[in-house]
Amino acid sequence: GIVFPPTEGVTRVPVFNVESMPGEAARFGLKLAGNDVFLEGDVAWWGDYHEGFTIHVPAAVPEALAGPLGLLPGETGLILKNRLVFDGRSGDGTFITTPSTCLGPAYAPSWTPGELPSGPSGHAYSTLLRADSASKPDPGFPNDSTFFESPIPPGTSPKECTTIPYAPSLENVEPGTAAVNSPAGAALTIRVPHILGGDEQDSSDTRAATVTLPARMGINPSAANGLQACTDAQFGKGTQNPVGCPAASRIGTVKIESPPLPEGALEGPVFVGQQLSRDPTSGNEYRIFVDAESARYGISARLIGNVRADPRSGQLSTTFAEDPQVPFSSAVLRFDGGARAVLSSPPTCGPNTTTASMVPWSGNPPATPSKSFNLTATPGGGACPATMAARAFAPGFGAAPRSSAAGAYSPLSIHLSRGDGQQELKGAQILLAPGMTGRLAGIPYCPEAALTGAAARAGAAEAASSSCPVASQVGIATIAAGTGPAPLTIAGKVFLSGPYHGAPLSLAVVTPATAGPFDLGTAVVRVALFVNPETAQVSAVSDPIPDVFGGTQLSIRSVDLSIDRPRFSLNPTSCEPSSIGGVLNGGGADPSNPAAFSAVPVSAPFRATECGALGFRPKLVTKLTGGPGSTRRARNPGLKATLTAREGDANIRRTVLTLPHSEFLDQAHIRTICTRVQLAASACPPGSVYGFARAKTPLLDDELAGPVYLVASDHELPDLLADLKGQVEIHLRGVISAAKARIKTVFDPLPDVPVSRFTMTMFGGKRSLLQNSRNLCGKPALSVLALAAQNGKRIKARKVPLRVPACHVSHPRPSRRG
């Protein structure tokens, strides 16, 4: 009622629900003293979603009504009292409901009269009035106006909080595809039943909702192609600014049904939110912005979903926290499908279960609805796998140098791939063709500290300035990641590094993990490079390749390595048929557990060409060492042999050196022999050392050097083994035999690697293996040398002088005394 002086009567007028104006949440109207008075409803959607009305009170009464009301002509009609009563059961009986918030005054933040409340505002269950004077209007209205607070009296707050119903459900959880491990335009519907009319309590409003997708239904890197992010300022949550998210940040749509509004009133886009962290468990690395608007009713529901990703499996949980205290009956979140869908479907048929934790505003325990779906197909055909281990794994493999010319420096390319629906690429063990090697000379190692630092850096920072020295780079890596026909391409660099996991050296594949608007950090995968000491054949063994990085399921489709540093990768000089092969590992039953990986052998044929164009002109110089006394019969001289070769020639495959009759094997000096076990443990006893060897190769900065042992063998005599150590370790094994009273030593096969100079020095004296059969200074002695090249060329039975420098030493004459 409205009361006017001078009478104390009360005028009662009905209040009607009036069709609202465009952009207006609600409108109510009444007739007052000949004036149409409207209550313009609004919802503070930019804050706590409280509802309110703006009432423009008439300032004067028309003259025709002044007399009947006891007013003098022109006298202002002052409103002394105003009481607005809404019938909560109007319409379908649900016009007004009491709050479902039973958290009490302790929850509500404090509020000072004269200040606009923000967040879940005011004291618990309070109604606020702000008024402005007609005679002295405040230009700052409503923000600077007078406020009055009218708390609901004690004892009248909602009762029976524990009985407030809340039974949300997950419905229509759709993957958007029937195939496993494929782009998924997923859709999810959440329903909360509401009671219309009657005396029963309505459902609680939803305070928070966390939805967890099925295991390994993760983020699809393919979505990053052309993707942008929406900043918090562009989204404008907490403001009345228009949403300004870029079109390229849109990834889906939302539709929310609310009982107070007509069907289909709230709908809009879903955007990718700006990254705020590189911790996938924080909920701030991945965020989604939901904007459900109704231009008709002037309402915009802006929600932020914090997405947490399991760093091992990539499983996603999205939380919408502190949701507004307004009812919704359904919310449909639908992500865009197609080649760049933001999600990938699970890797197995199912059942694949989505779970939720729905927290009511009533303060009662959360609800935990769930929903499952099944998949029926595999990309490219084949049976749908029921388990992780049942997934197929038929990886693609290719490896070849750009040029096949024998002995040429040529970039080496290695390609690994897998198809959608197959097991993850988890590792590679690649054995290069014999003689396929690299020139390490002049290349510094990337330090361990630099690689550790790279793994902790942001991807953008690593891309702008590599942690490893530029001089240590030997190649590039190209990784294609994501499901569907348009995977994301990411570029990395390959650096030479030092010893790793027992290997003498390694490669480090350093990849800045930047994808669209996301920077997930820097991935560092080490590849141990083992060198077979007998053959010098190189075996590359990778660390497990990550299938999840930064919480994103990589779904790696291919890895391409190009070892393209100039004059680094060297072809063999043999043109015999060979291959580059090894084993590729799949994720098997558990991609996070190396013990569960599968293994598939792979091979790519290789055969060098143009071997005939290579020359072969090595030279050997042999000489006996020791003083003048060592030249006599039955004495034990030392031996020094020096082999030199030209760079660019074919490498040596076989050497046979037969000493002259003047030297035979002194078996009495063969005492300590290094056993196979001792050799394998690098623990040959000092007594088994009979000489020393050095080798210089253009592939290394420093020479290889080490002792020469007598080692256990399958032959009549022990073998001679030169244990050469440096950046790598090489064993040169010679078979000793005594034929026709002559000592013959055969080194076969020798590694197909270039050696510019090799020197073997055998001890003389008591540790000499040689004994003179005559005085060496009587006549020249000739050795016989036979050589074979890796390209098939030969030097047959060439006679080589065995020099005896001691025979040319002039002895001082006795001095004469006067």
Side-chain angles (χ1 to χ4, degrees):
I2 306 296
V3 180
F4 294 89
T7 68
E8 293 295 326
V10 175
T11 302
R12 292 179 178 272
V13 296
V15 179
F16 298 95
N17 186 23
V18 179
E19 184 175 352
S20 63
M21 302 294 287
E24 195 172 65
R27 173 171 284 229
F28 305 98
L30 57 93
K31 284 283 188 180
L32 175 60
N35 292 279
D36 290 336
V37 179
F38 294 103
L39 288 70
E40 300 168 359
D42 62 73
V43 176
W45 52 263
W46 55 91
D48 64 358
Y49 286 78
H50 67 266
E51 298 176 7
F53 304 97
T54 299
I55 308 172
H56 297 285
V57 180
V61 177
E63 292 186 9
L65 297 178
L69 292 175
L71 299 176
L72 298 174
E75 186 175 0
T76 301
L78 300 177
I79 297 177
L80 302 180
K81 193 173 190 179
N82 176 13
R83 185 182 185 199
L84 177 64
V85 178
F86 277 122
D87 184 353
R89 295 185 181 277
S90 294
D92 59 7
T94 60
F95 180 65
I96 293 180
T97 57
T98 53
S100 61
T101 306
C102 293
L103 304 179
Y107 165 75
S110 60
W111 170 70
T112 302
E115 295 181 357
L116 278 176
S118 60
S121 60
H123 296 292
Y125 319 123
S126 293
T127 299
L128 306 177
L129 171 67
R130 58 195 185 202
D132 192 52
S133 170
S135 61
K136 295 181 180 180
D138 185 344
F141 183 85
N143 294 322
D144 299 327
S145 306
T146 302
F147 280 78
F148 303 93
E149 181 186 12
S150 177
I152 295 177
T156 60
S157 297
K159 301 294 185 180
E160 303 177 45
C161 293
T162 58
T163 63
I164 296 177
Y166 187 64
S169 62
L170 290 180
E171 297 184 8
N172 300 323
V173 178
E174 303 169 359
T177 178
V180 299
N181 194 219
S182 301
L188 172 72
T189 300
I190 298 176
R191 295 196 183 278
V192 180
H194 284 270
I195 299 170
L196 302 179
D199 295 327
E200 298 182 42
Q201 288 177 299
D202 191 12
S203 175
S204 172
D205 295 334
T206 299
R207 183 179 181 184
T210 298
V211 176
T212 301
L213 293 180
R216 298 194 174 274
M217 184 176 186
I219 295 172
N220 182 11
S222 300
N225 286 307
L227 186 68
Q228 296 181 23
C230 181
T231 66
D232 289 79
Q234 290 170 330
F235 186 54
K237 180 176 171 59
T239 75
Q240 299 183 62
N241 300 331
V243 173
C245 295
S249 66
R250 180 189 179 280
I251 57 172
T253 60
V254 65
K255 185 175 182 180
I256 299 175
E257 300 291 352
S258 179
L261 296 175
E263 184 177 351
L266 291 173
E267 55 184 308
V270 178
F271 302 101
V272 169
Q274 180 184 17
Q275 179 183 356
L276 301 179
S277 169
R278 285 198 287 118
D279 178 5
T281 66
S282 68
N284 284 318
E285 182 173 58
Y286 305 110
R287 298 186 300 157
I288 57 175
F289 293 165
V290 173
D291 177 30
E293 297 191 5
S294 172
R296 170 66 182 83
Y297 294 100
I299 298 175
S300 175
R302 300 182 189 179
L303 306 174
I304 294 179
N306 298 96
V307 183
R308 291 172 175 80
D310 187 300
R312 293 188 65 190
S313 69
Q315 188 171 24
L316 304 175
S317 295
T318 303
T319 298
F320 292 92
E322 296 303 318
D323 298 333
Q325 298 182 60
V326 293
F328 75 89
S329 56
S330 71
V332 181
L333 192 64
R334 185 177 299 276
F335 293 101
D336 295 338
R340 297 180 180 179
V342 73
L343 296 173
S344 292
S345 59
T348 59
C349 302
N352 297 290
T353 303
T354 299
T355 61
S357 176
M358 309 281 292
V359 180
W361 271 105
S362 65
N364 291 327
T368 56
S370 63
K371 187 74 172 179
S372 298
F373 63 81
N374 287 283
L375 301 171
T376 59
T378 299
C384 183
T387 65
M388 294 285 284
R391 297 174 300 158
F393 187 55
F397 176 76
R402 184 178 302 169
S403 167
S404 61
Y409 286 100
S410 177
L412 173 66
S413 297
I414 297 176
H415 171 80
L416 319 176
S417 64
R418 60 168 280 276
D420 277 341
Q422 295 191 18
Q423 297 176 22
E424 302 81 0
L425 278 174
K426 289 300 300 181
Q429 302 171 47
I430 305 300
L431 182 64
L432 297 184
M436 192 172 280
T437 185
R439 187 174 184 269
L440 306 180
I443 306 176
Y445 291 161
C446 178
E448 291 291 329
L451 294 173
T452 301
R457 294 181 81 191
E462 182 64 25
S465 176
S466 294
S467 298
C468 292
V470 174
S472 64
Q473 184 176 351
V474 297
I476 58 174
T478 304
I479 296 95
T483 57
L488 175 73
T489 299
I490 305 173
K493 297 178 180 179
V494 183
F495 298 94
L496 182 67
S497 191
Y500 186 68
H501 284 181
L505 62 157
S506 61
L507 298 178
V509 182
V510 180
T511 307
T514 54
F518 293 104
D519 187 334
L520 308 184
T522 303
V524 178
V525 176
R526 299 289 293 274
V527 180
L529 298 179
F530 294 90
V531 180
N532 186 309
E534 303 287 340
T535 66
Q537 197 168 6
V538 178
S539 175
V541 180
S542 77
D543 278 349
I545 300 170
D547 62 294
V548 176
F549 191 78
T552 291
Q553 283 191 354
L554 299 180
S555 296
I556 292 177
R557 303 286 294 282
S558 64
V559 176
D560 286 277
L561 298 178
S562 177
I563 309 303
D564 61 355
R565 184 186 180 101
R567 292 182 59 80
F568 176 75
S569 183
L570 181 64
N571 287 345
T573 61
S574 168
C575 286
E576 293 295 318
S578 61
S579 65
I580 304 171
V583 173
L584 299 187
N585 296 117
D590 183 0
S592 65
N593 180 11
F597 292 172
S598 61
V600 173
V602 293
S603 180
F606 173 75
R607 187 171 188 174
T609 59
E610 305 175 31
C611 280
L614 299 177
F616 186 58
R617 295 179 60 184
K619 295 180 179 180
L620 178 69
V621 175
T622 59
K623 66 179 181 180
L624 297 177
T625 60
S630 67
T631 63
R632 300 172 186 170
R633 184 180 181 278
R635 294 297 178 91
N636 300 102
L639 174 68
K640 184 176 182 180
T642 301
L643 181 69
T644 57
R646 301 182 307 175
E647 186 171 359
D649 276 4
N651 299 321
I652 301 172
R653 184 183 64 82
R654 172 185 170 93
T655 67
V656 180
L657 178 64
T658 304
L659 295 179
H661 287 288
S662 60
E663 302 302 319
F664 64 88
L665 186 66
D666 190 343
Q667 297 196 38
H669 283 187
I670 300 177
R671 296 183 177 90
T672 306
I673 297 174
C674 182
T675 67
R676 290 181 173 88
V677 174
Q678 291 170 329
L679 179 63
S682 297
C684 288
S688 64
V689 178
Y690 292 83
F692 196 82
R694 298 180 181 275
K696 180 65 178 175
T697 169
L699 303 182
L700 304 176
D701 285 318
D702 299 321
E703 66 180 12
L704 301 177
V708 177
Y709 300 107
L710 281 183
V711 298
S713 74
D714 295 328
H715 307 107
E716 182 178 355
L717 296 172
D719 286 347
L720 200 66
L721 187 136
D723 184 10
L724 303 174
K725 295 182 179 180
Q727 277 184 282
V728 297
E729 181 174 358
I730 297 295
H731 295 167
L732 298 182
R733 184 181 290 268
V735 178
I736 306 172
S737 62
K740 297 181 181 180
R742 303 184 71 170
I743 301 173
K744 181 169 71 172
T745 305
V746 178
F747 288 89
D748 182 27
L750 292 171
D752 189 1
V753 293
V755 175
S756 55
R757 183 182 183 89
F758 175 76
T759 301
M760 180 180 289
T761 302
M762 302 301 295
F763 297 149
K766 295 181 179 180
R767 302 186 64 181
S768 173
L769 296 176
L770 302 180
Q771 189 176 64
N772 301 332
S773 63
R774 61 175 176 83
N775 190 310
L776 301 180
C777 296
K779 61 179 180 179
L782 298 176
S783 300
V784 178
L785 174 68
L787 296 170
Q790 297 283 349
N791 67 346
K793 293 184 178 181
R794 295 178 179 273
I795 297 176
K796 298 181 179 179
R798 174 185 294 178
K799 293 183 178 181
V800 179
L802 178 60
R803 300 176 182 178
V804 187
C807 292
H808 305 287
V809 175
S810 58
H811 299 279
R813 295 180 180 179
S815 61
R816 293 181 179 180
R817 297 187 180 184

